[in-house]
Amino acid sequence: MNFNEVDVLFAEEEIQEKVAQLGRQITADYKGEDLLVVGILKGAFIFMADLVRKIDIPLELDFMSVSSYGTSTTSSGEVRIMKDLDYSIENKSVLIVEDIVDTGLTLNYICEILKKRDPKSVKICCLLDKPSRRKSPIRPDYVGYSIPDEFVVGYGLDYAGQYRGYPAVCILKPSVYEK
Ligand code: PRP
């Protein structure tokens, strides 16, 4: 990690403990159900990989990729599906996994689409939540950390395509994006 560019917000060990906690809770809540864990690419890939290894019940995985219209910093709320799910979600207990919920517009759109496909339930698990930025009524069911409106990278989250592989969640220093 380049500490000239980032400050650690949540260290690797701390995140692992949090993910294990979420996994235990999800394991208890979904016992006996047909659980389908849906990751929203790309940001969710690391969190999801760690989370499913802490969920101790049979589950299936699927992925969706969406892209929002608008600039990189302002989301318009209009979302286009770049990759849809491979499988039917009818009668499945769907758990959407996200790295971060910000305005909530992306998840609002995804939930609307998925609910039309007759799942048994649709819930959301995110590692990070920025409730102060919300523009839609999305409320994640499982939240790792509620955070203030900081520019975060690492553990799947990027800035201009970089930093996703950092093992910690970090705050990007303004000197990097104000260049
Ligand atoms: C991020 C994140 C969510 C979305 C949240 O994805 O993974 O999908 O933004 O923002 P919202 O709550 O304001 O809609 P991004 O578009 O950066 O794509 P990525 O996952 O490929 O990095």
Side-chain angles (χ1 to χ4, degrees):
M1 296 200 288
N2 181 347
F3 292 101
N4 293 324
E5 298 186 340
V6 300
D7 290 312
V8 171
L9 180 61
F10 303 117
E12 195 174 356
E13 304 71 32
E14 192 185 344
I15 297 172
Q16 291 311 319
E17 184 43 48
K18 181 66 79 176
V19 173
Q21 237 173 52
L22 289 168
R24 283 194 293 272
Q25 208 182 329
I26 291 165
T27 300
D29 292 354
Y30 283 91
K31 214 148 230 162
E33 300 203 27
D34 285 332
L35 177 59
L36 176 68
V37 180
V38 169
I40 310 301
L41 298 169
K42 310 186 183 62
F45 82 111
I46 292 181
F47 176 42
M48 180 169 172
D50 283 346
L51 183 67
V52 294
R53 284 179 286 179
K54 299 293 178 189
I55 302 177
D56 195 18
I57 52 170
L59 57 82
E60 289 176 284
L61 293 184
D62 208 344
F63 295 93
M64 226 175 158
S65 174
V66 297
S67 119
S68 50
Y69 292 96
T71 66
S72 56
T73 47
T74 36
S75 170
S76 62
E78 239 185 294
V79 175
R80 187 164 35 137
I81 297 180
M82 308 300 286
K83 184 217 165 293
D84 205 339
L85 298 175
D86 289 337
Y87 307 116
S88 161
I89 60 170
E90 204 177 327
N91 293 324
K92 295 263 164 87
S93 303
V94 176
L95 181 65
I96 301 174
V97 175
E98 264 289 22
D99 50 345
I100 187 163
V101 182
D102 188 3
T103 63
L105 294 170
T106 306
L107 272 179
N108 196 44
Y109 181 85
I110 290 172
C111 285
E112 287 304 311
I113 291 178
L114 296 190
K115 280 175 183 164
K116 287 184 190 143
R117 299 181 185 178
D118 297 322
K120 183 173 178 204
S121 63
V122 176
K123 287 189 181 179
I124 297 164
C125 176
C126 64
L127 181 72
L128 305 171
D129 188 14
K130 278 189 186 175
S132 65
R133 295 257 308 157
R134 207 68 99 247
K135 289 186 187 158
S136 81
I138 284 291
R139 274 209 281 156
D141 303 273
Y142 303 93
V143 176
Y145 304 98
S146 239
I147 59 168
D149 188 16
E150 299 277 9
F151 204 135
V152 280
V153 296
Y155 199 69
L157 292 118
D158 77 312
Y159 168 64
Q162 297 295 309
Y163 309 102
R164 290 195 201 271
Y166 278 23
V169 172
C170 302
I171 296 177
L172 193 62
K173 293 185 179 172
S175 56
V176 176
Y177 52 87
E178 283 171 359
K179 261 181 204 163

